Amino acid sequence: MKKIILLFTLSLFIIGCSKDDSTNELPIVNACASPINLSVNNLTNTTATLNWNASGNAALFQVEYGEFGFSQGNGTQLNVPDEFTNIEDLQPSTQYTFYTRVFCNSTQTYSDWANFSFVTLADNPYCNDPSSFSQEFYPDSVTHNHVDLSWSEGAFDGSQIQYGLQGFTIGSGSIKNVTDNIYPSSTRIENLNAGTAYDFYVRNICENSGYSAWVGPITVTTLNEPANPNCVDPYNFVSQGTGTNTDGSKYFDFSWDHEASQNSWEIAVVPVGTAFNTNIVTATSFQPVRLSYNGVTSGQAYDFYIRSNCGTADGFSDWVGPVTVTAQ
């Protein structure tokens, strides 16, 4: 019996010692210290300078950044030799987090990550916004595959156009840098789809200070694909009024836009409700033009159509219309 009690006592002692040993184990400490004093300066709406300090001798830092709450490994990753780095292409009024760690030469290992969060500005105090952004309004400024744009107060370093289908989200569009001139104020966006509505934005490029805010959108719809590529359809065909001449005939005024090389057109008219036909066609080389007709009844509505005449070699464009006008 005494032997049993002795063995039981020894077992309790051994178990007690095992528990005591586990509670006295020290946590593993990374001998490579993490960067400290994380901060951000030179902050704008799209750029920031990330800063930190390392306590030891180091020549390599890893940085990862993204919008607040991103999972590490899914952000933008950089390897930099200094205790700072400049980042750009951020979104305005957005919260970001950056992580950084150091590679310690003494231990040949990486430290633990340190992190810091910040919010970009809504505007850039160091880069003025462009103004008076619009579609150009001259012949050929809009065709089935290009749009001409203009703006004021461009920057010395140039401007940037972002565009996409109407309603696209900023950041997902196509980008064109306009840097062929200092203080540029216009550009042509090419290779667009016919008969399609696009949104356009512009911002200034300030090389050492990021970008201005995006200005826009303006929405422009390209023309339909011409059936005859050698003779582009006239467009913006509109009525400019109607009235009665002194001889009792009725007149109709029209204007339209066209390719710069075009100088001859045909205009057809049919009563509303009548199928399109070319029984009554007037040729003209004037734009705008006043057309007069006998036998027209006041209060009667008429449909007008127009097409370009590009000569024997290039033929005619499609008929464009109708524009409906009620005779006075």
PDB file of all heavy atoms in Angstrom, residues 246-274:
ATOM      1  N   THR A 246     -43.727  86.095-100.307  1.00  0.00           N
ATOM      2  CA  THR A 246     -44.672  87.104-100.802  1.00  0.00           C
ATOM      3  C   THR A 246     -45.557  86.572-101.919  1.00  0.00           C
ATOM      4  O   THR A 246     -46.675  87.058-102.136  1.00  0.00           O
ATOM      5  CB  THR A 246     -43.904  88.343-101.295  1.00  0.00           C
ATOM      6  OG1 THR A 246     -42.947  87.939-102.289  1.00  0.00           O
ATOM      7  CG2 THR A 246     -43.196  89.028-100.145  1.00  0.00           C
ATOM      8  N   ASP A 247     -45.078  85.545-102.647  1.00  0.00           N
ATOM      9  CA  ASP A 247     -45.888  84.966-103.730  1.00  0.00           C
ATOM     10  C   ASP A 247     -46.830  83.870-103.238  1.00  0.00           C
ATOM     11  O   ASP A 247     -47.504  83.215-104.042  1.00  0.00           O
ATOM     12  CB  ASP A 247     -44.998  84.437-104.849  1.00  0.00           C
ATOM     13  CG  ASP A 247     -44.105  83.287-104.389  1.00  0.00           C
ATOM     14  OD1 ASP A 247     -44.158  82.910-103.185  1.00  0.00           O
ATOM     15  OD2 ASP A 247     -43.324  82.778-105.213  1.00  0.00           O
ATOM     16  N   GLY A 248     -46.862  83.647-101.917  1.00  0.00           N
ATOM     17  CA  GLY A 248     -47.752  82.643-101.352  1.00  0.00           C
ATOM     18  C   GLY A 248     -47.136  81.272-101.194  1.00  0.00           C
ATOM     19  O   GLY A 248     -47.738  80.387-100.564  1.00  0.00           O
ATOM     20  N   SER A 249     -45.954  81.044-101.751  1.00  0.00           N
ATOM     21  CA  SER A 249     -45.274  79.754-101.572  1.00  0.00           C
ATOM     22  C   SER A 249     -44.737  79.654-100.144  1.00  0.00           C
ATOM     23  O   SER A 249     -44.573  80.665 -99.442  1.00  0.00           O
ATOM     24  CB  SER A 249     -44.130  79.601-102.580  1.00  0.00           C
ATOM     25  OG  SER A 249     -43.150  80.602-102.375  1.00  0.00           O
ATOM     26  N   LYS A 250     -44.490  78.445 -99.713  1.00  0.00           N
ATOM     27  CA  LYS A 250     -43.984  78.206 -98.362  1.00  0.00           C
ATOM     28  C   LYS A 250     -42.480  77.956 -98.416  1.00  0.00           C
ATOM     29  O   LYS A 250     -41.991  77.276 -99.324  1.00  0.00           O
ATOM     30  CB  LYS A 250     -44.672  76.996 -97.734  1.00  0.00           C
ATOM     31  CG  LYS A 250     -46.193  77.085 -97.689  1.00  0.00           C
ATOM     32  CD  LYS A 250     -46.674  78.259 -96.834  1.00  0.00           C
ATOM     33  CE  LYS A 250     -48.205  78.308 -96.765  1.00  0.00           C
ATOM     34  NZ  LYS A 250     -48.683  79.442 -95.952  1.00  0.00           N
ATOM     35  N   TYR A 251     -41.771  78.515 -97.432  1.00  0.00           N
ATOM     36  CA  TYR A 251     -40.330  78.258 -97.375  1.00  0.00           C
ATOM     37  C   TYR A 251     -39.970  77.509 -96.094  1.00  0.00           C
ATOM     38  O   TYR A 251     -40.679  77.601 -95.076  1.00  0.00           O
ATOM     39  CB  TYR A 251     -39.519  79.552 -97.487  1.00  0.00           C
ATOM     40  CG  TYR A 251     -39.621  80.494 -96.299  1.00  0.00           C
ATOM     41  CD1 TYR A 251     -38.884  80.276 -95.118  1.00  0.00           C
ATOM     42  CD2 TYR A 251     -40.451  81.623 -96.374  1.00  0.00           C
ATOM     43  CE1 TYR A 251     -38.989  81.142 -94.058  1.00  0.00           C
ATOM     44  CE2 TYR A 251     -40.538  82.493 -95.307  1.00  0.00           C
ATOM     45  CZ  TYR A 251     -39.813  82.253 -94.141  1.00  0.00           C
ATOM     46  OH  TYR A 251     -39.914  83.101 -93.072  1.00  0.00           O
ATOM     47  N   PHE A 252     -38.875  76.765 -96.181  1.00  0.00           N
ATOM     48  CA  PHE A 252     -38.361  75.970 -95.058  1.00  0.00           C
ATOM     49  C   PHE A 252     -36.843  76.196 -94.974  1.00  0.00           C
ATOM     50  O   PHE A 252     -36.149  76.063 -95.989  1.00  0.00           O
ATOM     51  CB  PHE A 252     -38.649  74.477 -95.261  1.00  0.00           C
ATOM     52  CG  PHE A 252     -40.116  74.163 -95.380  1.00  0.00           C
ATOM     53  CD1 PHE A 252     -40.780  74.278 -96.596  1.00  0.00           C
ATOM     54  CD2 PHE A 252     -40.830  73.744 -94.269  1.00  0.00           C
ATOM     55  CE1 PHE A 252     -42.126  73.982 -96.714  1.00  0.00           C
ATOM     56  CE2 PHE A 252     -42.191  73.440 -94.377  1.00  0.00           C
ATOM     57  CZ  PHE A 252     -42.837  73.562 -95.596  1.00  0.00           C
ATOM     58  N   ASP A 253     -36.363  76.532 -93.800  1.00  0.00           N
ATOM     59  CA  ASP A 253     -34.930  76.775 -93.591  1.00  0.00           C
ATOM     60  C   ASP A 253     -34.311  75.591 -92.852  1.00  0.00           C
ATOM     61  O   ASP A 253     -34.892  75.086 -91.862  1.00  0.00           O
ATOM     62  CB  ASP A 253     -34.714  78.040 -92.765  1.00  0.00           C
ATOM     63  CG  ASP A 253     -35.145  79.299 -93.505  1.00  0.00           C
ATOM     64  OD1 ASP A 253     -35.188  79.245 -94.761  1.00  0.00           O
ATOM     65  OD2 ASP A 253     -35.437  80.305 -92.835  1.00  0.00           O
ATOM     66  N   PHE A 254     -33.122  75.165 -93.308  1.00  0.00           N
ATOM     67  CA  PHE A 254     -32.423  74.032 -92.696  1.00  0.00           C
ATOM     68  C   PHE A 254     -30.930  74.338 -92.546  1.00  0.00           C
ATOM     69  O   PHE A 254     -30.350  75.123 -93.317  1.00  0.00           O
ATOM     70  CB  PHE A 254     -32.577  72.766 -93.553  1.00  0.00           C
ATOM     71  CG  PHE A 254     -33.993  72.279 -93.663  1.00  0.00           C
ATOM     72  CD1 PHE A 254     -34.763  72.614 -94.776  1.00  0.00           C
ATOM     73  CD2 PHE A 254     -34.565  71.511 -92.667  1.00  0.00           C
ATOM     74  CE1 PHE A 254     -36.078  72.188 -94.897  1.00  0.00           C
ATOM     75  CE2 PHE A 254     -35.873  71.068 -92.770  1.00  0.00           C
ATOM     76  CZ  PHE A 254     -36.636  71.408 -93.882  1.00  0.00           C
ATOM     77  N   SER A 255     -30.333  73.668 -91.570  1.00  0.00           N
ATOM     78  CA  SER A 255     -28.872  73.675 -91.443  1.00  0.00           C
ATOM     79  C   SER A 255     -28.428  72.264 -91.077  1.00  0.00           C
ATOM     80  O   SER A 255     -29.228  71.437 -90.615  1.00  0.00           O
ATOM     81  CB  SER A 255     -28.411  74.669 -90.367  1.00  0.00           C
ATOM     82  OG  SER A 255     -28.847  74.260 -89.080  1.00  0.00           O
ATOM     83  N   TRP A 256     -27.143  71.985 -91.265  1.00  0.00           N
ATOM     84  CA  TRP A 256     -26.578  70.674 -90.953  1.00  0.00           C
ATOM     85  C   TRP A 256     -25.058  70.803 -90.885  1.00  0.00           C
ATOM     86  O   TRP A 256     -24.477  71.828 -91.265  1.00  0.00           O
ATOM     87  CB  TRP A 256     -26.979  69.629 -92.002  1.00  0.00           C
ATOM     88  CG  TRP A 256     -26.538  69.977 -93.400  1.00  0.00           C
ATOM     89  CD1 TRP A 256     -25.398  69.613 -94.037  1.00  0.00           C
ATOM     90  CD2 TRP A 256     -27.274  70.780 -94.353  1.00  0.00           C
ATOM     91  NE1 TRP A 256     -25.344  70.116 -95.309  1.00  0.00           N
ATOM     92  CE2 TRP A 256     -26.486  70.852 -95.530  1.00  0.00           C
ATOM     93  CE3 TRP A 256     -28.502  71.447 -94.313  1.00  0.00           C
ATOM     94  CZ2 TRP A 256     -26.895  71.547 -96.656  1.00  0.00           C
ATOM     95  CZ3 TRP A 256     -28.902  72.144 -95.434  1.00  0.00           C
ATOM     96  CH2 TRP A 256     -28.111  72.196 -96.591  1.00  0.00           C
ATOM     97  N   ASP A 257     -24.418  69.763 -90.383  1.00  0.00           N
ATOM     98  CA  ASP A 257     -22.954  69.687 -90.368  1.00  0.00           C
ATOM     99  C   ASP A 257     -22.508  68.634 -91.361  1.00  0.00           C
ATOM    100  O   ASP A 257     -23.279  67.718 -91.715  1.00  0.00           O
ATOM    101  CB  ASP A 257     -22.437  69.336 -88.964  1.00  0.00           C
ATOM    102  CG  ASP A 257     -22.671  70.474 -87.966  1.00  0.00           C
ATOM    103  OD1 ASP A 257     -22.510  71.639 -88.371  1.00  0.00           O
ATOM    104  OD2 ASP A 257     -23.015  70.195 -86.809  1.00  0.00           O
ATOM    105  N   HIS A 258     -21.232  68.728 -91.762  1.00  0.00           N
ATOM    106  CA  HIS A 258     -20.765  67.822 -92.816  1.00  0.00           C
ATOM    107  C   HIS A 258     -19.244  67.776 -92.816  1.00  0.00           C
ATOM    108  O   HIS A 258     -18.571  68.606 -92.172  1.00  0.00           O
ATOM    109  CB  HIS A 258     -21.256  68.327 -94.176  1.00  0.00           C
ATOM    110  CG  HIS A 258     -20.812  69.735 -94.472  1.00  0.00           C
ATOM    111  ND1 HIS A 258     -19.612  70.029 -95.095  1.00  0.00           N
ATOM    112  CD2 HIS A 258     -21.404  70.930 -94.203  1.00  0.00           C
ATOM    113  CE1 HIS A 258     -19.485  71.344 -95.198  1.00  0.00           C
ATOM    114  NE2 HIS A 258     -20.551  71.918 -94.679  1.00  0.00           N
ATOM    115  N   GLU A 259     -18.695  66.807 -93.537  1.00  0.00           N
ATOM    116  CA  GLU A 259     -17.247  66.736 -93.729  1.00  0.00           C
ATOM    117  C   GLU A 259     -16.773  67.973 -94.492  1.00  0.00           C
ATOM    118  O   GLU A 259     -17.485  68.498 -95.357  1.00  0.00           O
ATOM    119  CB  GLU A 259     -16.875  65.470 -94.511  1.00  0.00           C
ATOM    120  CG  GLU A 259     -17.171  64.177 -93.777  1.00  0.00           C
ATOM    121  CD  GLU A 259     -15.917  63.500 -93.270  1.00  0.00           C
ATOM    122  OE1 GLU A 259     -14.836  63.763 -93.830  1.00  0.00           O
ATOM    123  OE2 GLU A 259     -16.022  62.713 -92.319  1.00  0.00           O
ATOM    124  N   ALA A 260     -15.566  68.433 -94.148  1.00  0.00           N
ATOM    125  CA  ALA A 260     -15.067  69.683 -94.734  1.00  0.00           C
ATOM    126  C   ALA A 260     -14.977  69.623 -96.256  1.00  0.00           C
ATOM    127  O   ALA A 260     -15.136  70.637 -96.940  1.00  0.00           O
ATOM    128  CB  ALA A 260     -13.700  70.011 -94.134  1.00  0.00           C
ATOM    129  N   SER A 261     -14.765  68.439 -96.804  1.00  0.00           N
ATOM    130  CA  SER A 261     -14.588  68.313 -98.256  1.00  0.00           C
ATOM    131  C   SER A 261     -15.906  68.348 -99.025  1.00  0.00           C
ATOM    132  O   SER A 261     -15.910  68.459-100.249  1.00  0.00           O
ATOM    133  CB  SER A 261     -13.853  67.005 -98.572  1.00  0.00           C
ATOM    134  OG  SER A 261     -14.599  65.889 -98.104  1.00  0.00           O
ATOM    135  N   GLN A 262     -17.039  68.259 -98.329  1.00  0.00           N
ATOM    136  CA  GLN A 262     -18.335  68.189 -99.007  1.00  0.00           C
ATOM    137  C   GLN A 262     -18.885  69.589 -99.297  1.00  0.00           C
ATOM    138  O   GLN A 262     -18.779  70.489 -98.452  1.00  0.00           O
ATOM    139  CB  GLN A 262     -19.326  67.401 -98.148  1.00  0.00           C
ATOM    140  CG  GLN A 262     -18.937  65.941 -97.960  1.00  0.00           C
ATOM    141  CD  GLN A 262     -19.893  65.201 -97.048  1.00  0.00           C
ATOM    142  OE1 GLN A 262     -20.828  65.779 -96.491  1.00  0.00           O
ATOM    143  NE2 GLN A 262     -19.654  63.904 -96.871  1.00  0.00           N
ATOM    144  N   ASN A 263     -19.492  69.758-100.473  1.00  0.00           N
ATOM    145  CA  ASN A 263     -20.064  71.054-100.830  1.00  0.00           C
ATOM    146  C   ASN A 263     -21.329  70.940-101.683  1.00  0.00           C
ATOM    147  O   ASN A 263     -21.760  71.917-102.296  1.00  0.00           O
ATOM    148  CB  ASN A 263     -19.029  71.914-101.556  1.00  0.00           C
ATOM    149  CG  ASN A 263     -18.469  71.224-102.797  1.00  0.00           C
ATOM    150  OD1 ASN A 263     -19.096  70.323-103.352  1.00  0.00           O
ATOM    151  ND2 ASN A 263     -17.285  71.630-103.208  1.00  0.00           N
ATOM    152  N   SER A 264     -21.923  69.743-101.716  1.00  0.00           N
ATOM    153  CA  SER A 264     -23.128  69.561-102.515  1.00  0.00           C
ATOM    154  C   SER A 264     -24.041  68.541-101.843  1.00  0.00           C
ATOM    155  O   SER A 264     -23.559  67.497-101.360  1.00  0.00           O
ATOM    156  CB  SER A 264     -22.764  69.087-103.931  1.00  0.00           C
ATOM    157  OG  SER A 264     -23.918  68.958-104.732  1.00  0.00           O
ATOM    158  N   TRP A 265     -25.366  68.860-101.804  1.00  0.00           N
ATOM    159  CA  TRP A 265     -26.315  67.989-101.115  1.00  0.00           C
ATOM    160  C   TRP A 265     -27.633  67.908-101.886  1.00  0.00           C
ATOM    161  O   TRP A 265     -27.904  68.739-102.754  1.00  0.00           O
ATOM    162  CB  TRP A 265     -26.595  68.535 -99.703  1.00  0.00           C
ATOM    163  CG  TRP A 265     -25.354  68.630 -98.878  1.00  0.00           C
ATOM    164  CD1 TRP A 265     -24.799  67.677 -98.080  1.00  0.00           C
ATOM    165  CD2 TRP A 265     -24.485  69.759 -98.800  1.00  0.00           C
ATOM    166  NE1 TRP A 265     -23.646  68.130 -97.510  1.00  0.00           N
ATOM    167  CE2 TRP A 265     -23.416  69.407 -97.930  1.00  0.00           C
ATOM    168  CE3 TRP A 265     -24.484  71.034 -99.380  1.00  0.00           C
ATOM    169  CZ2 TRP A 265     -22.386  70.285 -97.629  1.00  0.00           C
ATOM    170  CZ3 TRP A 265     -23.444  71.914 -99.073  1.00  0.00           C
ATOM    171  CH2 TRP A 265     -22.409  71.548 -98.210  1.00  0.00           C
ATOM    172  N   GLU A 266     -28.446  66.917-101.529  1.00  0.00           N
ATOM    173  CA  GLU A 266     -29.793  66.797-102.054  1.00  0.00           C
ATOM    174  C   GLU A 266     -30.756  66.682-100.877  1.00  0.00           C
ATOM    175  O   GLU A 266     -30.461  65.973 -99.903  1.00  0.00           O
ATOM    176  CB  GLU A 266     -29.924  65.564-102.953  1.00  0.00           C
ATOM    177  CG  GLU A 266     -29.173  65.684-104.260  1.00  0.00           C
ATOM    178  CD  GLU A 266     -29.430  64.494-105.186  1.00  0.00           C
ATOM    179  OE1 GLU A 266     -29.961  63.473-104.691  1.00  0.00           O
ATOM    180  OE2 GLU A 266     -29.124  64.605-106.389  1.00  0.00           O
ATOM    181  N   ILE A 267     -31.904  67.372-100.969  1.00  0.00           N
ATOM    182  CA  ILE A 267     -32.918  67.334 -99.914  1.00  0.00           C
ATOM    183  C   ILE A 267     -34.232  66.863-100.531  1.00  0.00           C
ATOM    184  O   ILE A 267     -34.693  67.410-101.545  1.00  0.00           O
ATOM    185  CB  ILE A 267     -33.088  68.717 -99.256  1.00  0.00           C
ATOM    186  CG1 ILE A 267     -31.781  69.122 -98.566  1.00  0.00           C
ATOM    187  CG2 ILE A 267     -34.245  68.691 -98.258  1.00  0.00           C
ATOM    188  CD1 ILE A 267     -31.814  70.497 -97.942  1.00  0.00           C
ATOM    189  N   ALA A 268     -34.813  65.834 -99.925  1.00  0.00           N
ATOM    190  CA  ALA A 268     -36.084  65.263-100.391  1.00  0.00           C
ATOM    191  C   ALA A 268     -37.179  65.588 -99.381  1.00  0.00           C
ATOM    192  O   ALA A 268     -36.921  65.687 -98.182  1.00  0.00           O
ATOM    193  CB  ALA A 268     -35.952  63.753-100.556  1.00  0.00           C
ATOM    194  N   VAL A 269     -38.425  65.739 -99.872  1.00  0.00           N
ATOM    195  CA  VAL A 269     -39.549  66.036 -99.000  1.00  0.00           C
ATOM    196  C   VAL A 269     -40.738  65.157 -99.362  1.00  0.00           C
ATOM    197  O   VAL A 269     -41.006  64.922-100.548  1.00  0.00           O
ATOM    198  CB  VAL A 269     -39.933  67.535 -99.070  1.00  0.00           C
ATOM    199  CG1 VAL A 269     -40.269  67.965-100.486  1.00  0.00           C
ATOM    200  CG2 VAL A 269     -41.084  67.847 -98.117  1.00  0.00           C
ATOM    201  N   VAL A 270     -41.434  64.659 -98.307  1.00  0.00           N
ATOM    202  CA  VAL A 270     -42.671  63.897 -98.492  1.00  0.00           C
ATOM    203  C   VAL A 270     -43.639  64.309 -97.382  1.00  0.00           C
ATOM    204  O   VAL A 270     -43.210  64.667 -96.276  1.00  0.00           O
ATOM    205  CB  VAL A 270     -42.449  62.369 -98.441  1.00  0.00           C
ATOM    206  CG1 VAL A 270     -41.536  61.920 -99.561  1.00  0.00           C
ATOM    207  CG2 VAL A 270     -41.913  61.947 -97.085  1.00  0.00           C
ATOM    208  N   PRO A 271     -44.967  64.304 -97.647  1.00  0.00           N
ATOM    209  CA  PRO A 271     -45.920  64.576 -96.573  1.00  0.00           C
ATOM    210  C   PRO A 271     -45.795  63.533 -95.465  1.00  0.00           C
ATOM    211  O   PRO A 271     -45.518  62.356 -95.735  1.00  0.00           O
ATOM    212  CB  PRO A 271     -47.284  64.490 -97.285  1.00  0.00           C
ATOM    213  CG  PRO A 271     -46.970  64.716 -98.730  1.00  0.00           C
ATOM    214  CD  PRO A 271     -45.632  64.112 -98.960  1.00  0.00           C
ATOM    215  N   VAL A 272     -45.987  63.954 -94.216  1.00  0.00           N
ATOM    216  CA  VAL A 272     -45.946  63.015 -93.095  1.00  0.00           C
ATOM    217  C   VAL A 272     -46.953  61.901 -93.325  1.00  0.00           C
ATOM    218  O   VAL A 272     -48.092  62.144 -93.771  1.00  0.00           O
ATOM    219  CB  VAL A 272     -46.240  63.742 -91.764  1.00  0.00           C
ATOM    220  CG1 VAL A 272     -46.540  62.742 -90.650  1.00  0.00           C
ATOM    221  CG2 VAL A 272     -45.049  64.600 -91.360  1.00  0.00           C
ATOM    222  N   GLY A 273     -46.563  60.681 -93.075  1.00  0.00           N
ATOM    223  CA  GLY A 273     -47.418  59.522 -93.290  1.00  0.00           C
ATOM    224  C   GLY A 273     -47.224  58.885 -94.634  1.00  0.00           C
ATOM    225  O   GLY A 273     -47.792  57.821 -94.911  1.00  0.00           O
ATOM    226  N   THR A 274     -46.407  59.510 -95.485  1.00  0.00           N
ATOM    227  CA  THR A 274     -46.110  58.966 -96.804  1.00  0.00           C
ATOM    228  C   THR A 274     -44.761  58.259 -96.766  1.00  0.00           C
ATOM    229  O   THR A 274     -43.813  58.739 -96.132  1.00  0.00           O
ATOM    230  CB  THR A 274     -46.055  60.091 -97.854  1.00  0.00           C
ATOM    231  OG1 THR A 274     -47.294  60.798 -97.846  1.00  0.00           O
ATOM    232  CG2 THR A 274     -45.787  59.538 -99.237  1.00  0.00           C
TER     233      THR A 274
END
